[in-house]
Amino acid sequence: MTTQHIETLIIGAGQAGLATGYQLKQLGREFVIVDGMARIGDNWRCHYDSLTLFTPARANGLDGLPFPGDPWHFPTKDEFAEYLELYAVSNDLPVRMQTRVERLSRSSDGRFTANLGSDEITCDNVVVATGTFGRTAKVPELASTIDPGIRQLHSSEYQRPDDLPDGPVLVVGASHSGLDIAYDVAAKHPTTLIGPERGNVPLEWGSGRFRRAFPVIEFMFNHVLTRRTPMGRKVMAKIRHHGAPQLRVKRQHLGERGVEWIADHVTGVVDGRPCLDDGRSFDVASIIWATGFRQTYDWIDLPVQVEDGWPVEYRGVVESIPGFYFCGLAFQYCFASGEVNGVSRDAEYLARRIADRTPAAAPAVA
Ligand SMILES: Cc1cc2nc3c(=O)[nH]c(=O)nc-3n(C[C@H](O)[C@H](O)[C@H](O)COP(=O)(O)OP(=O)(O)OC[C@H]3O[C@@H](n4cnc5c(N)ncnc54)[C@H](O)[C@@H]3O)c2cc1C
């Protein structure tokens, strides 16, 4: 076993981890970023084939590297993955891929230990940047009582409509992924979408009106809908627990593809089939659970307080565990915190807190 000591360990090389590394580097701090995946950007590559970002390129750049190309184009998931790789290389960030933290603990001297299997890293500060809504699929328990002849998958496993068996498809969950996936699936399968509507941003995505309104939306998402305003806190509860409103894919687009959208919940199973409260059941070949993710902290052996499934923190700082931080959480500070656009400001705030706590400065190491 080898042990290395580093001032700050960042767990996760998605946009949140990379942005935190960039900000620490600006302050001359020593850090390393680790990630369990093979290649930077794999966290985007693994999504469904048709995924393009709902945010235009102008809102997809992190501090230190604007997103290339037409500022109004909507990048594909692979383009964004390449951008993240380029970001790490062009800012010379020390990243170790294929390095999963299996356990994180703290010793009596206040230092943290990250167990990486055969090796370990000890550090004074840790930033957990393992995903906005977590990366563990959240599927209702009733799924286990559904007829095994029905193919079931979580939205994170869905790739393309051709992979599904012939026959009708039920998509459960009408947040961003559910709407996107229902639209995609409906090109090849009769599709029903189930889930309450979460509101609608009344703009045709990419239109002239959208472009004119976008600076106002950005301002709202970054400066008005924050944890400091009553309106922001109300939206925070909705976003963290119920998902996003209709953005690019709207009811009308789903209707054009023949998707039936039932604004209700799947609450039971009858004769092996999913059903609604009113007893209506669905004879389908596949079910896609677009029911979101949850944060799992079973690998973190620290007294992290969790309320309603979310860690107790403010702007990513966990006051009860000095040196322990989160970055990239949905509504860490504002609506944009869970998007590319808002993460650099959150990362900068954390980097300053880390620098204030750890006076000695040293250059970043690879
Ligand atoms: C389908 C979908 C579409 C989205 N579209 C947009 C969009 O258009 N625009 C926008 O701004 N935002 C969008 N988002 C929201 C947000 O930008 C993404 O969720 C983004 O991936 C969050 O980045 P992150 O760095 O916080 O987390 P992630 O991208 O999830 O990265 C976390 C990283 O942590 C690693 N990790 C986890 N646990 C460990 C461990 N124990 N040890 C080591 N590594 C670990 C993972 O391998 C992963 O690489 C979208 C989200 C989804 C799910």
Side-chain angles (χ1 to χ4, degrees):
M1 160 151 345
T2 57
T3 303
Q4 181 200 355
H5 184 78
I6 197 105
E7 187 177 289
T8 300
L9 172 67
I10 300 170
I11 306 172
Q15 71 214 21
L18 295 174
T20 307
Y22 173 84
Q23 299 294 347
L24 284 172
K25 188 159 188 187
Q26 302 317 297
L27 300 176
R29 311 308 303 204
E30 184 197 44
F31 67 94
V32 70
I33 307 170
V34 297
D35 195 297
M37 289 190 169
R39 215 175 130 195
I40 294 175
D42 280 355
N43 47 331
W44 283 88
R45 287 185 196 94
C46 66
H47 287 306
Y48 46 95
D49 291 357
S50 67
L51 176 62
T52 54
L53 272 69
F54 58 79
T55 41
R58 57 171 272 166
N60 295 330
L62 300 169
D63 280 6
L65 186 69
F67 196 92
D70 173 2
W72 289 108
H73 89 283
F74 294 94
T76 65
K77 62 176 182 132
D78 292 344
E79 270 182 87
F80 190 69
E82 274 169 40
Y83 166 81
L84 289 181
E85 267 189 316
L86 180 67
Y87 185 79
V89 171
S90 59
N91 288 302
D92 199 18
L93 301 178
V95 182
R96 288 189 203 159
M97 298 305 288
Q98 294 184 308
T99 306
R100 185 163 194 83
V101 176
E102 291 173 0
R103 186 166 172 268
L104 181 69
S105 57
R106 189 173 52 161
S107 50
S108 52
D109 63 2
R111 284 184 165 182
F112 300 93
T113 302
N115 193 290
L116 314 171
S118 55
D119 298 325
E120 61 181 29
I121 294 178
T122 61
C123 53
D124 305 316
N125 308 289
V126 185
V127 181
V128 175
T130 52
T132 301
F133 287 92
R135 295 196 73 89
T136 307
K138 193 168 73 180
V139 174
E141 274 179 26
L142 60 83
S144 62
T145 61
I146 286 173
D147 180 346
I150 299 176
R151 168 99 195 273
Q152 294 189 66
L153 61 163
H154 182 258
S155 59
S156 57
E157 298 165 307
Y158 170 74
Q159 289 295 317
R160 58 194 73 82
D162 287 338
D163 291 350
L164 301 174
D166 288 342
V169 178
L170 194 67
V171 178
V172 184
S175 184
H176 177 67
S177 297
L179 297 174
D180 237 25
I181 290 174
Y183 185 76
D184 195 41
V185 169
K188 297 279 175 75
H189 300 265
T191 304
T192 304
L193 172 69
I194 301 202
E197 290 198 29
R198 302 295 179 199
N200 177 25
V201 179
L203 286 168
E204 182 69 26
W205 239 236
S207 66
R209 249 187 89 219
F210 170 83
R211 292 184 184 195
R212 286 191 295 281
F214 196 73
V216 181
I217 297 175
E218 271 185 313
F219 184 81
M220 288 288 293
F221 283 9
N222 279 287
H223 302 289
V224 180
L225 298 178
T226 74
R227 283 167 80 162
R228 294 159 75 117
T229 66
M231 196 184 1
R233 289 193 290 276
K234 206 168 150 191
V235 175
M236 174 178 167
K238 282 193 179 167
I239 293 290
R240 281 191 164 187
H241 297 289
H242 303 295
Q246 295 165 63
L247 299 172
R248 183 176 40 215
V249 175
K250 315 238 183 236
R251 182 175 268 285
Q252 154 213 346
H253 302 121
L254 294 170
E256 284 160 11
R257 283 232 167 142
V259 176
E260 184 190 7
W261 183 352
I262 303 170
D264 207 334
H265 292 100
V266 171
T267 52
V269 178
V270 171
D271 297 333
R273 295 176 191 156
C275 72
L276 308 178
D277 252 354
D278 63 11
R280 181 173 169 189
S281 68
F282 299 88
D283 188 8
V284 291
S286 319
I287 302 172
I288 301 173
W289 297 102
T291 37
F293 296 86
R294 64 192 162 83
Q295 307 278 357
T296 45
Y297 301 120
D298 50 0
W299 56 282
I300 303 181
D301 193 7
L302 297 170
V304 181
Q305 248 182 292
V306 177
E307 274 174 16
D308 280 343
W310 290 84
V312 176
E313 49 68 51
Y314 184 69
R315 299 195 75 168
V317 179
V318 180
E319 295 289 357
S320 58
I321 311 176
F324 185 67
Y325 308 89
F326 287 92
C327 192
L329 294 176
F331 248 98
Q332 185 159 307
Y333 177 61
C334 63
F335 190 106
S337 289
E339 298 176 350
V340 186
N341 190 241
V343 82
S344 287
R345 178 174 59 175
D346 291 348
E348 185 185 3
Y349 177 82
L350 289 178
R352 289 192 186 287
R353 291 293 298 253
I354 290 170
D356 288 349
R357 173 173 192 271
T358 332
V365 294

